Amino acid sequence: MEKKSRISAAQLCLLMYLASSGTGLMSSPSVAASFAGLDMWIAPFWGLIGGIACLWIMIQLHRLYPGQNLIQYAEAILGRIAGKAISFLFLFFVLFTTGYVIRQMTDFLSNSFFPRTPPLFLGVCIVFVCAAAVNSGIEVICRLPVLFFPFPILMMVVIFVPLFPDLKPVLPIFEHGILPSFWGGCALQLWYAVFCFATFYIPNVHNQDKLMRWSMLSPILLCLLLAATNWSITSILGDAASMYHYPFLVITRFVSFSEFFEHLESIVMMIWVVAFALRIMYGYYCAAVGLAQWLKLPDYRPLIWPVGMLLLLMSVWDIKTTQFAQFDSLVFPAFYALCGIGLPFLLLVAAWVRKGMTPASQHKTSNASASPQTQQAEQTK
Amino acid sequence: MSIRWIVLITLAAAFIFVLEWRRIPDRPTKAAFTFLILAVWAMSIAVSIHSDLPGPDTLIKTVLEPFIPNVPHQ
């Protein structure tokens, strides 16, 4: 499966960063504001701990089982039944989160820009485009963010530079203690925990020596972006930030170049749609590959369309609202953290115990009898 | 959802099945593909008929809610 496909660590870093930043910019400010209030700009720094931990665990697992992803080594670590159960839970997480993003996008577009278009039609359109990209393979998916990367930067410059004179220090800091910003950081695991999808991409990275450095860059960049955005939003909207569904869209409406160049929300929509598409492709590829490997099929491509239908179903099934901020508790961030960080950590501990208990000679034998894909990855290293 | 969506879902599933099934070379993939299409079609029809059918959202809330502390909102 995808034997000749090779991507670079930098491409993976850009993909992870852009996939998280699109939905992060849209919904995370209202989520952080509802828990942290004026300290919402500090919340991404707490959340960063989860993002870094998630990627560190994934890379450690990859070093123990080179050339394999979570679905493959879960069985090797925990045995057939427990491994299948854990990887099924992980697949459910991938499908649920990706379906949720499709729903977020269709809700955003139908509420803000296309009120008369059926949301399901918008979902079908985006799934169709993403299915074409997933069918083209991992190299195409990872080159798209490289092509697209300058546009979000341009968007941020165009939006933040005119707002700069209106920005002021956000005081007081830690008015209600350190806890509100910490809970805000926990809620932001809705974005940081998604870095665990890297497990499906890491085996295809050709420059493994640079993997750790580049991988750690994406949560750091996301943290800086969210902190800067949250600071601007608090500075302009104050306590009212949590009352808006899309606070970032609201502050773009304040942008005006000498009363001539206004309504930049159309640029935001354009960039967001592409960022959403990247996020959906990022999860769609993982769902298709993961499901194929869970069923032990030789290729994932025949499953692309059924998985697309399943993602569309997940986007409409039992989801009352896509506004995370309206939830009263941390149930969904806990679910994301549990599946994105907790499950891989459990596997890592089990793998350490297993490797520690296995005699060195047996370990060498097991490495020698690894799958051809594993051997190929090791040769590449 | 209306009968229109049920017809659309059935047509989409049938279209994907007819188009893809012939191109699949091996028997295990054919079996998995057929099972998956049928399962997704059946679930879609069930969700179309009963739009308030409990799903993943309810499952997650039911399982995790008792263990999560109530955090005060600002």
Side-chain angles (χ1 to χ4, degrees), chain A residues 23-34 37 40 188 191 226 229-230 233 241-242 244-248 325:
Chain A
T23 52
L25 273 180
M26 192 181 90
S27 311
S28 80
S30 58
V31 174
S34 67
M40 65 189 269
L188 290 184
W191 289 273
L226 294 185
T229 312
N230 289 358
I233 289 168
S242 61
Y244 294 101
H245 289 164
Y246 311 118
F248 186 71

Side-chain angles (χ1 to χ4, degrees), chain A residues 184-201:
Chain A
C186 291
L188 290 184
Q189 292 314 309
L190 291 166
W191 289 273
Y192 286 105
V194 171
F195 285 119
C196 68
F197 291 3
T199 183
F200 292 96
Y201 294 87

Side-chain angles (χ1 to χ4, degrees), chain A residues 23-332:
Chain A
T23 52
L25 273 180
M26 192 181 90
S27 311
S28 80
S30 58
V31 174
S34 67
F35 285 99
L38 286 178
D39 291 338
M40 65 189 269
W41 65 276
I42 303 168
F45 293 100
W46 287 112
L48 178 65
I49 299 168
I52 285 183
C54 177
L55 279 169
W56 184 82
I57 292 166
M58 285 305 174
I59 293 170
Q60 293 307 315
L61 277 168
H62 177 253
R63 282 180 182 166
L64 290 172
Y65 295 90
Q68 296 183 41
N69 61 38
L70 191 138
I71 306 292
Q72 293 166 312
Y73 52 65
E75 226 171 297
I77 295 169
L78 299 175
R80 192 176 155 80
I81 295 168
K84 284 272 184 208
I86 290 285
S87 46
F88 181 79
L89 186 58
F90 192 76
L91 271 179
F92 170 72
F93 169 64
V94 173
L95 286 166
F96 176 79
T97 51
T98 311
Y100 214 100
V101 173
I102 294 172
R103 177 62 178 270
Q104 272 187 315
M105 201 204 76
T106 55
D107 275 7
F108 166 67
L109 287 178
S110 61
N111 290 339
S112 308
F113 299 99
F114 301 105
R116 298 177 72 177
T117 308
L120 196 62
F121 177 75
L122 296 170
V124 169
C125 290
I126 197 77
V127 166
F128 193 83
V129 171
C130 294
V134 173
N135 192 49
S136 303
I138 191 170
E139 284 181 346
V140 171
I141 296 171
C142 289
R143 277 176 191 174
L144 280 172
V146 180
L147 280 174
F148 178 63
F149 188 60
F151 297 105
I153 294 189
L154 196 69
M155 177 184 86
M156 299 310 280
V157 170
V158 167
I159 288 166
F160 282 120
V161 169
L163 287 175
F164 197 73
D166 298 328
L167 301 181
K168 51 189 183 296
V170 180
L171 295 169
I173 298 170
F174 297 133
E175 187 185 7
H176 301 286
I178 205 166
L179 271 179
S181 63
F182 174 74
W183 293 125
C186 291
L188 290 184
Q189 292 314 309
L190 291 166
W191 289 273
Y192 286 105
V194 171
F195 285 119
C196 68
F197 291 3
T199 183
F200 292 96
Y201 294 87
I202 288 173
N204 294 70
V205 173
H206 65 79
N207 47 350
Q208 294 281 337
D209 50 324
K210 293 176 182 166
L211 182 62
M212 185 65 96
R213 266 178 290 161
W214 277 107
S215 298
M216 291 303 156
L217 194 61
S218 30
I220 292 169
L221 284 176
L222 179 68
C223 170
L224 292 176
L225 177 78
L226 294 185
T229 312
N230 289 358
W231 184 59
S232 320
I233 289 168
T234 323
S235 185
I236 292 166
L237 300 178
D239 282 331
S242 61
M243 291 162 63
Y244 294 101
H245 289 164
Y246 311 118
F248 186 71
L249 197 65
V250 174
I251 65 161
T252 57
R253 288 177 180 148
F254 285 85
V255 177
S256 169
F257 288 118
S258 57
E259 297 180 0
F260 167 70
F261 193 59
E262 292 176 333
H263 292 288
L264 292 184
E265 62 265 28
S266 49
I267 297 177
V268 172
M269 187 199 79
M270 198 175 70
I271 306 274
W272 265 350
V273 168
V274 183
F276 267 105
L278 281 176
R279 169 66 185 83
I280 295 164
M281 276 172 216
Y282 178 57
Y284 196 160
Y285 174 80
C286 300
V289 171
L291 196 61
Q293 281 171 349
W294 196 79
L295 295 167
K296 298 209 181 294
L297 302 180
D299 191 14
Y300 72 90
R301 285 184 175 85
L303 299 186
I304 287 174
W305 291 109
V307 168
M309 276 187 79
L310 190 57
L311 289 175
L312 274 174
L313 174 68
M314 296 296 255
S315 75
V316 293
W317 189 6
D318 197 28
I319 298 177
K320 307 287 184 299
T321 173
T322 51
Q323 295 308 314
F324 286 120
Q326 289 175 8
F327 297 136
D328 292 332
S329 67
L330 288 166
V331 170
F332 281 86

Side-chain angles (χ1 to χ4, degrees), chain B residues 2-29:
Chain B
S2 64
I3 190 94
R4 191 176 50 161
W5 288 115
I6 296 173
V7 172
L8 267 175
I9 290 162
T10 310
L11 276 176
F15 185 70
I16 291 170
F17 184 79
V18 169
L19 214 69
E20 278 290 317
W21 201 80
R22 284 177 305 168
R23 284 200 259 171
I24 300 170
D26 57 312
R27 191 174 279 191
T29 311

